[in-house]
Amino acid sequence: MYATDFLFNGRRASDFGLMICSFNGEPETVTGGELEYNTAKSPQTDRFTFYGSQFNSVLAWNFSICKNPDQNTNLYFNQYEESRILKWLIRTDGYNYIQFNQPGYEDIFYKVCINAVSHQISGRTAGFDLTVTSDCAYGFSDIIRRAGDINASTPLKLHIQSDINTYILPELNLKSQGNDGFFIHNFKDEQLQLPILSKPIEFYHASKEITMDSDTEIITGLSNPNDFNWQFLRLTDGMNFITTDSVSNIEIEIRYREPRFVRI
């Protein structure tokens, strides 16, 4: 890592007069995120057969932060400053996105949690040693928004550029005329699934505005939970076609992040 600044939970380290540093003089590198292969060798051959693969570890960083000497005359932290920094970094509300301000990689985000320990020199706090742990083995793009009107003859086309062969679970906003039921479907997902597993998102009695989070499987805007078949939209790498059987227009907005297999 060559970055000296980062964005976390809506604030930059430089907003607090801080910078990324190393107290031992050695730059830290990211660890984890290895892909493990499931293989087996038959008794009658010297070759191994591939049965699948998976990421069994997450990305993790260990680095320190200190006061930027160009912005501070006193490089040690008092009690108030230490409390302010730890309140920003140590969250109890789950993972938050971090973005390292490294040239060429400013558009890469990682969803992380942070543990911070004060770095003491002669009994005074000179900075903080951070352990930053991601929720998976890769990063993500910034939020991408795509919107348009769809109907039975007009799909919404989305070209997904993903570095990982995995599903993207987006957020959706749907605005319809209400009352009439309709379905929403990703034709690309249907091509990748067996017919029995390919199910559209069906609204039997639609509200005028519906919000759906495919990742958390939370949906709002329904007057009755039985008006929905509890299927959620999935996006895949390549061209996706979001279709519907509705004769009238449905306003749709899709928000998602594309996986990025980049390590900083």
Side-chain angles (χ1 to χ4, degrees):
M1 179 195 301
Y2 297 99
T4 57
D5 196 8
F6 64 91
L7 175 72
F8 177 72
N9 195 36
R11 301 291 299 274
R12 294 189 179 277
S14 56
D15 294 339
F16 298 90
L18 305 177
M19 63 180 292
I20 296 175
C21 70
S22 175
F23 288 106
N24 60 16
E26 295 293 330
E28 298 287 346
T29 57
V30 63
T31 60
E34 296 89 358
L35 182 65
E36 296 187 9
Y37 294 91
N38 299 321
T39 62
K41 189 176 81 70
S42 301
Q44 304 301 321
T45 180
D46 294 329
R47 301 182 65 183
F48 284 76
T49 302
F50 174 76
Y51 289 103
S53 61
Q54 59 185 341
F55 292 104
N56 284 329
S57 65
V58 299
L59 299 179
W61 296 260
N62 289 282
F63 59 90
S64 301
I65 56 175
C66 67
K67 288 186 177 181
N68 188 333
D70 294 334
Q71 298 178 248
N72 300 273
T73 55
N74 182 3
L75 299 183
Y76 291 97
F77 293 80
N78 60 36
Q79 180 185 6
Y80 167 77
E81 293 170 329
E82 186 168 350
S83 175
R84 186 167 174 246
I85 299 306
L86 292 179
K87 181 179 180 180
W88 165 54
L89 292 175
I90 300 179
R91 309 291 304 174
T92 59
D93 56 355
Y95 292 95
N96 289 266
Y97 281 102
I98 191 171
Q99 174 194 22
F100 294 102
N101 188 21
Q102 183 164 311
Y105 296 88
E106 298 92 341
D107 58 346
I108 304 298
F109 295 77
Y110 302 91
K111 204 170 186 180
V112 304
C113 59
I114 298 179
N115 278 306
V117 178
S118 60
H119 189 98
Q120 300 282 322
I121 298 178
S122 300
R124 302 174 68 185
T125 300
F128 302 89
D129 299 320
L130 308 185
T131 299
V132 180
T133 306
S134 176
D135 69 337
C136 68
Y138 45 84
F140 300 89
S141 70
D142 201 351
I143 296 176
I144 299 171
R145 291 177 171 84
R146 296 289 184 266
D149 292 337
I150 61 173
N151 55 46
S153 60
T154 306
L156 178 66
K157 299 178 183 180
L158 301 176
H159 187 267
I160 304 297
Q161 182 63 48
S162 175
D163 294 348
I164 305 295
N165 185 23
T166 187
Y167 284 110
I168 297 173
L169 304 176
E171 296 178 354
L172 282 80
N173 280 355
L174 301 172
K175 293 182 180 180
S176 69
Q177 297 179 0
N179 298 322
D180 294 334
F182 60 88
F183 73 71
I184 298 288
H185 196 42
N186 181 5
F187 180 71
K188 177 68 178 297
D189 190 10
E190 180 180 357
Q191 291 179 308
L192 299 176
Q193 292 287 339
L194 294 173
I196 194 174
L197 299 177
S198 179
K199 298 181 180 179
I201 303 165
E202 296 188 57
F203 299 97
Y204 309 121
H205 183 84
S207 304
K208 291 188 177 181
E209 185 167 358
I210 299 170
T211 299
M212 174 189 298
D213 188 333
S214 296
D215 186 24
T216 60
E217 296 191 350
I218 293 176
I219 184 168
T220 60
L222 295 178
S223 57
N224 188 327
N226 293 325
D227 290 339
F228 175 54
N229 70 339
W230 295 95
Q231 298 295 314
F232 292 87
L233 184 67
R234 303 187 301 186
L235 305 177
T236 65
D237 188 38
M239 185 62 74
N240 292 249
F241 297 87
I242 312 304
T243 62
T244 182
D245 64 342
S246 175
V247 177
S248 58
N249 283 349
I250 297 174
E251 295 181 36
I252 182 171
E253 181 186 57
I254 302 178
R255 298 180 299 276
Y256 58 93
R257 293 177 185 264
E258 294 177 342
R260 294 287 180 264
F261 199 56
V262 177
R263 280 80 182 277
I264 296 178

